Amino acid sequence: MGKADFLSPKAISNRIKAKGLQKLRWYCQMCQKQCRDENGFKCHCMSESHQRQLLLASENPNQFMDYFSDEFKTDFLELIRRRFGTKRVHNNIVYNEYISHREHVHMNATQWETLTDFTKWLGREGFCKVDETPKGWYIQYIDRDPETIRRQEELERKKKQDLDDVERTAKFIEDQVRRGRESKEPEEEPVFTELKRESEEEKVAFSLGSSSSSIQSVILLSLFFSITPGPSALKATTSAKRKDQVHSTNPKEKKKKSALDEIMELEEQKKKSMKTDNWIRSDIVVKVVTKKLGEKYHKKKAIIREVRDKYTAVVKMIDSGDKLKLDQSHLETVIPAPGKKVMIVNGQYRDNEAILEGIDEKKFSATLTIDSGPMKGKMVEGVPYEDFSKMA
């Protein structure tokens, strides 16, 4: 009986049945022929072409097995390189994608009996990095392409060059500071002597404000008569000063600031001017404080991988590995244990690494020791919690 015509229902039915994968036990690797059922496979085994292929294979069986093994290995590695690259992936995922191609080389025609044996062989030969886990074997392709190796070497060389430039600049600054200290002449230390009055009748006068006339008179009397004012006199002068302040005739008159108060205000303004609105930076550990993302991320720690537009951070969650894009207001700094390294993110010593020495819980501040830059070794006290964070 001859074959059916191309457009006949029988031919169309045969093509539909032959489409896609068939059972492996009815596949002949030597002839590369797939049969649809047991009867077809039996007829194929009794055919003249199959017998001729068996005679050729029996003369040199190792040659055919090596050929199929090499084809299987080449196609398998090419699939990993194109589909997954250098990512770590389960070997069964790669194998299922490989056998989805109809014309693939079956493993029962190669030198490996199981997928585990083939995975171990890839690790021994250095084609992939393999590791066994409770979920099975994982493989990671090792790219030995000369162009890829050259790009990696150029990238490493550029990173090393940038690092050398930073170290060279830091060393130059340290040398400049050392030369400045050596060239500076040593200042004479002040000598403190005892205060002695030349004559007993000498008067000592102090010029104080008009509001403190009562205090001035008490001090003058005590110096003149060489007496010390008692607690009652001091109490009286203090109450008089308070009455003068309360019953001031001019309400618009402002109290004069002392030199100490002015110095303290200047120091506070100086500290505030050194602080900036944006404090986030890469490679530090932060805590997610927003509740809009749900309990999965609330109060969980993350690492800042990238900073965009000064106020937006791309973070990677430590426990789940998820990547999120968050605003600076949704994050806060993380305080590590004493002795750990931190990064100063705001204030006078911004962008300097430091070591956490201790924490003052009452003042919400900490004591740090600078560990990088020209100020290395300097101990800084009273650094607020929000001005430093744990390093990743």
Side-chain angles (χ1 to χ4, degrees):
M1 183 177 180
K3 290 185 178 180
D5 295 335
F6 181 74
L7 296 177
S8 63
K10 183 65 175 177
I12 295 173
S13 175
N14 290 339
R15 285 198 297 273
I16 292 174
K17 292 177 182 178
K19 187 178 181 180
L21 298 177
Q22 304 292 326
K23 289 189 177 181
L24 179 60
R25 60 180 177 176
W26 296 330
Y27 181 80
C28 177
Q29 184 68 60
M30 289 297 302
C31 303
Q32 297 182 359
K33 180 176 177 59
Q34 176 70 58
C35 300
R36 289 200 299 269
D37 51 18
E38 187 177 358
N39 186 38
F41 185 71
K42 181 179 178 181
C43 294
H44 170 72
C45 292
M46 295 173 61
S47 64
E48 183 180 354
S49 61
H50 179 74
Q51 296 296 330
R52 192 183 308 113
Q53 288 293 114
L54 287 182
L55 290 176
L56 292 175
S58 62
E59 293 178 0
N60 195 353
N62 293 330
Q63 180 181 357
F64 283 89
M65 183 171 289
D66 292 342
Y67 171 75
F68 290 131
S69 300
D70 186 64
E71 285 290 323
F72 180 83
K73 182 259 297 182
T74 304
D75 296 342
F76 195 89
L77 291 177
E78 182 66 17
L79 175 63
I80 298 177
R81 186 185 67 82
R82 288 187 292 102
R83 177 68 174 81
F84 302 99
T86 56
K87 294 181 181 179
R88 182 172 172 268
V89 63
H90 200 284
N91 62 348
N92 202 33
I93 295 177
V94 185
Y95 182 72
N96 287 334
E97 190 162 340
Y98 172 74
I99 64 176
S100 62
H101 182 58
R102 187 181 180 189
E103 302 298 332
H104 71 276
V105 178
H106 292 267
M107 184 173 283
N108 59 357
T110 64
Q111 62 184 10
W112 304 287
E113 296 181 357
T114 61
L115 181 59
T116 302
D117 294 340
F118 177 64
T119 304
K120 293 179 180 178
W121 182 85
L122 289 177
R124 286 195 302 268
E125 296 296 324
F127 292 105
C128 300
K129 293 179 182 178
V130 299
D131 59 313
E132 185 180 10
T133 64
K135 294 183 179 180
W137 287 87
Y138 282 83
I139 57 179
Q140 185 178 2
Y141 180 69
I142 301 174
D143 195 351
R144 302 186 185 277
D145 185 30
E147 184 65 22
T148 305
I149 295 174
R150 186 186 62 80
R151 286 198 300 267
Q152 291 177 354
E153 289 178 353
E154 287 183 358
L155 185 60
E156 291 177 359
R157 193 183 305 112
K158 186 177 180 181
K159 288 183 179 179
K160 186 177 180 182
Q161 185 177 359
D162 295 341
L163 185 62
D164 291 343
D165 293 341
V166 174
E167 292 177 352
R168 196 180 301 110
T169 305
K171 187 176 180 182
F172 175 74
I173 295 173
E174 291 178 1
D175 292 340
Q176 292 289 339
V177 173
R178 179 175 52 79
R179 289 198 201 97
R181 290 176 180 175
E182 291 176 356
S183 61
K184 189 177 181 181
E185 297 180 357
E187 298 179 356
E188 295 182 359
E189 297 182 358
V191 180
F192 301 96
T193 59
E194 185 180 357
L195 178 62
K196 293 182 179 180
R197 187 180 297 176
E198 296 179 359
S199 61
E200 294 295 333
E201 297 180 356
E202 184 180 357
K203 295 181 180 179
V204 180
F206 294 91
S207 177
L208 299 176
S210 59
S211 61
S212 57
S213 58
S214 57
I215 301 176
Q216 180 180 359
S217 60
V218 173
I219 294 174
L220 289 174
L221 287 172
S222 63
L223 291 173
F224 184 78
F225 293 104
S226 299
I227 61 173
T228 304
S232 59
L234 290 174
K235 189 181 293 184
T237 55
T238 306
S239 61
K241 182 180 178 181
R242 289 178 180 172
K243 287 180 181 179
D244 291 343
Q245 292 176 356
V246 172
H247 300 288
S248 177
T249 56
N250 188 4
K252 295 183 180 180
E253 182 182 356
K254 295 183 179 178
K255 183 182 178 182
K256 293 183 179 180
K257 297 181 181 178
S258 64
L260 182 60
D261 293 338
E262 292 179 357
I263 292 172
M264 290 176 66
E265 286 185 2
L266 288 174
E267 288 294 330
E268 289 294 331
Q269 292 177 3
K270 186 178 179 182
K271 288 182 180 179
K272 289 180 180 179
S273 63
M274 289 183 179
K275 286 193 176 184
T276 57
D277 294 336
N278 62 308
W279 58 267
I280 53 175
R281 57 159 296 158
S282 57
D283 298 330
I284 62 171
V285 181
V286 293
K287 185 185 291 185
V288 180
V289 295
T290 180
K291 294 182 179 180
K292 296 180 180 179
L293 301 177
E295 295 297 330
K296 181 180 179 182
Y297 302 111
H298 183 55
K299 294 294 183 182
K300 296 298 176 64
K301 295 180 181 179
I303 300 174
I304 297 180
R305 292 301 185 191
E306 185 183 353
V307 177
R308 299 177 182 175
D309 301 332
K310 294 185 179 182
Y311 300 97
T312 306
V314 179
V315 302
K316 181 179 180 181
M317 305 304 297
I318 294 178
D319 54 353
S320 62
D322 299 341
K323 285 190 176 182
L324 304 175
K325 185 178 179 182
L326 300 174
D327 189 75
Q328 175 182 271
S329 59
H330 297 159
L331 304 172
E332 69 176 13
T333 58
V334 174
I335 312 301
K340 299 292 185 180
K341 270 196 171 186
V342 297
M343 176 64 68
I344 301 177
V345 297
N346 212 339
Q348 183 178 359
Y349 305 98
R350 183 186 178 100
D351 295 334
N352 282 330
E353 297 180 6
I355 297 175
L356 180 62
E357 300 293 344
I359 298 174
D360 190 352
E361 296 181 356
K362 294 182 179 179
K363 297 182 179 180
F364 301 100
S365 61
T367 302
L368 306 178
T369 300
I370 306 299
D371 197 38
S372 64
M375 298 292 182
K376 184 175 182 180
K378 181 178 179 180
M379 183 173 288
V380 184
E381 297 181 354
V383 181
Y385 287 165
E386 63 270 13
D387 287 357
F388 68 93
S389 186
K390 180 181 179 182
M391 291 187 63

